[in-house]
Amino acid sequence: MKPIFRTLAALAFAAGLGACGTTFQLPEPGQAQSQAATRMFADARSQGPRKTLSAAAAERRFKRVAARISPVGRKYCETLTAERSNFDCNVNIGIDRKMEQRNAYFTYREDKPVIRISMPMLRDSASDDEVAFILSHEYGHLLGRHIEKQKQQALAGALILGVITAAATADSGYYDPSLVSTSMDVGAAAGSTAYSQTYELESDTLGTRIAHASGYDPVEGARFFARPEAARTEAGRLSFWGTHPPDAKRLATVLATMEQIDAKVELQKVQ
């Protein structure tokens, strides 16, 4: 590989490393938490069909829960991002009334932070605790700066694989721009998903603290994640359980976080 290509690849790799990983230290579940989570996971999967809430009852549940989660989430955000100037903690929390699938998400719209939960998911909830944990979990994506990091990782992945492919074709005496472009697309996709599971665990950790501080039971709320559901909808799109894969490790993380809360162990940033 030519020196210029090696330099570009090294810079891209450094950029990717700078974006990866969590912002906050994750608890390490012990054997007791793992065993309890496994039992909870099995119990959740053995339960029968849920009773669906009416649209009016679901609406009331959302308003009731969002009114308590929003100020606590904002306070956490302002405290944890105090050193970052102009970080927007004013999250718009609402219902996505167009989404037909059970899902929830965090995103930015016109550079403003947004959390949305669909009406089908609200109607499928069994308690205020579940809705509180879902909303708090999505708040965790804001605090962990996951969208920002995934964009940086996608760029780094595209550059790394693009540079490697360009160097290989140049060394062979034939430069193929279409092959380089394809490689960059593949690299971007790989980079953006490289730490997705770690980010979900970080959001679970932050969500546990926010839900608890709001007066809800995060352990009861997290049972929602353990349900046996298909990863894709009938239309072939990733469902909530496809983007938030259920496993006992996630429940163990919630239990370990609750143990820290009970022991008054504060949330720590990664050094």
Side-chain angles (χ1 to χ4, degrees):
M1 184 184 294
K2 296 180 180 180
I4 182 62
F5 289 128
R6 285 199 297 269
T7 300
L8 289 173
L11 289 173
F13 183 71
L17 286 179
C20 72
T22 63
T23 302
F24 302 95
Q25 293 180 10
L26 304 186
E28 190 64 39
Q31 185 176 9
Q33 289 88 18
S34 296
Q35 290 176 345
T38 299
R39 291 192 296 270
M40 289 171 58
F41 192 69
D43 179 63
R45 287 183 163 247
S46 68
Q47 295 177 2
R50 293 182 167 208
K51 180 181 178 181
T52 303
L53 284 177
S54 67
E59 186 98 27
R60 289 193 298 271
R61 172 166 286 167
F62 169 77
K63 290 180 179 179
R64 189 167 60 241
V65 174
R68 289 168 60 177
I69 293 295
S70 183
V72 175
R74 180 167 183 164
K75 183 177 179 180
Y76 258 81
C77 180
E78 291 172 346
T79 300
L80 296 176
T81 63
E83 78 286 356
R84 298 179 64 86
S85 61
N86 301 320
F87 193 92
D88 192 352
C89 292
N90 187 26
V91 180
N92 183 315
I93 303 180
I95 301 174
D96 187 328
R97 302 182 186 279
K98 294 182 179 180
M99 182 175 285
E100 298 179 353
Q101 295 80 31
R102 292 169 294 166
N103 216 328
Y105 57 88
F106 167 77
T107 189
Y108 283 94
R109 291 180 179 168
E110 298 180 352
D111 295 326
K112 299 295 183 182
V114 169
I115 288 175
R116 290 290 183 266
I117 183 171
S118 70
M119 180 58 75
M121 175 161 277
L122 284 168
R123 296 187 66 184
D124 194 41
S125 64
S127 67
D128 286 13
D129 293 316
E130 290 188 347
V131 174
F133 188 80
I134 291 168
L135 295 179
S136 298
H137 169 92
E138 297 305 328
Y139 233 114
H141 287 303
L142 166 68
L143 302 182
R145 298 185 290 116
H146 297 158
I147 289 180
E148 175 187 342
K149 289 184 177 184
Q150 286 178 326
K151 286 181 178 179
Q152 292 173 352
Q153 288 162 204
L155 176 60
L159 289 174
I160 291 170
L161 202 52
V163 166
I164 291 173
T165 304
T169 57
D171 287 343
S172 68
Y174 173 70
Y175 177 74
D176 186 344
S178 63
L179 180 59
V180 173
S181 178
T182 299
S183 295
M184 291 183 73
D185 289 342
V186 172
S192 66
T193 60
Y195 295 89
S196 59
Q197 182 63 20
T198 301
Y199 293 159
E200 292 302 329
L201 292 175
E202 183 173 36
S203 287
D204 287 342
T205 301
L206 291 161
T208 298
R209 289 182 176 271
I210 292 172
H212 178 267
S214 302
Y216 293 103
D217 184 342
V219 178
E220 283 301 311
R223 291 179 186 273
F224 192 93
F225 287 74
R227 297 169 55 195
E229 297 282 346
R232 293 188 178 273
T233 66
E234 292 181 358
R237 298 177 180 177
L238 282 174
S239 67
F240 182 80
W241 287 265
T243 55
H244 300 72
D247 61 36
K249 183 176 181 179
R250 302 191 66 195
L251 296 179
T253 296
V254 172
L255 291 170
T257 303
M258 278 302 305
E259 186 171 288
Q260 288 186 337
I261 292 172
D262 293 338
K264 301 188 184 308
V265 176
E266 298 294 330
L267 185 67
Q268 299 293 323
K269 288 190 175 183
V270 174
Q271 300 298 320

